[in-house]
Amino acid sequence: MRIDVVTIFPEYLDPLRAALLGRAIDRGLIEVGVHDLRGWTHDVHRAVDDAPYGGGPGMVMKPQIWGAALDDVCAEGSRLVVPTPAGRPFDQALAHAYAEEEHLVFACGRYEGIDQRVIDDAARRMPVDEVSIGDYVLVGGEAAVLVMVEAVVRLLPGVLGNPASAEQDSFSAFSGGLLEGPSYTRPEVWRDMAVPDVLRSGNHALIDRWRRDESLERTALRRPDLIAALPEDSLDAHDRAV
Ligand code: 6GU
């Protein structure tokens, strides 16, 4: 997979070369390019934005510069991702879809946005998603790109040291649409708090049942929206009693 990022803050993307992602680059599993949008400006001020048509606060990023940048960075087979708080939600399903792509291009705008014609024009040639990483507003898309790239790259074959960790996604974090319950390791007692007895019982049916109950309880408390979204038949008689 190749990943390109276009931004006015290229140094913000330096963490892409650290830790897990850096190892994936060193091992040839991904190629990463970070590009300074101002490299496509021609004026002495290297201006990338202008006042919005129709008035209002903030500035809008100019189409000519973005158009030239995307013409150079995108190619046959690219998928363009535009981070914006006005986008569709980025979730684990979208991370899996992106992990199948050969070339992802992220176009980071400031939050007032990029002239919409840049996105509409790109969509004439390639798949384009405007995506949000949550219901809050960031100054620009850079931090969102770090989040999304990490979620995608960890799914690529060979990136995680222990392949069971990626597999484990299917029964942790959002398994069956539920949040993961609590985890414990040694010592058995720490600051007067003991590990739940059931986890030391060796009875795996009982442990599975306990873990599911913990997941249900935690999800009901923290993410009632996920409980409401469960398929009708996904709760059994015992679950309903919890
Ligand atoms: Cl993807 N970008 C910006 N600028 N703000 C956001 C966001 C993205 N997701 C949530 N807030």
Side-chain angles (χ1 to χ4, degrees), residues 81-88 90 109-113 130-145 148:
V81 182
V82 183
T84 165
R88 66 185 277 206
F90 179 76
R110 46 191 301 166
Y111 86 88
E112 294 89 343
E130 295 178 77
V131 293
S132 165
I133 62 162
D135 292 341
Y136 38 79
V137 179
L138 306 171
V139 177
E142 288 77 10
V145 170
M148 289 188 275

Side-chain angles (χ1 to χ4, degrees), residues 17-66:
R17 311 205 179 270
L20 176 94
L21 299 177
R23 270 205 313 281
I25 295 169
D26 294 342
R27 291 162 57 211
L29 298 170
I30 55 169
E31 283 179 275
V32 175
V34 176
H35 312 273
D36 186 347
L37 179 69
R38 290 189 205 276
W40 282 274
T41 58
H42 297 294
D43 64 310
V44 63
H45 302 292
R46 310 187 88 197
V48 293
D49 53 16
D50 201 344
Y53 270 111
M59 300 286 270
V60 177
M61 296 185 100
K62 294 158 67 70
Q64 309 94 311
I65 299 164
W66 271 112

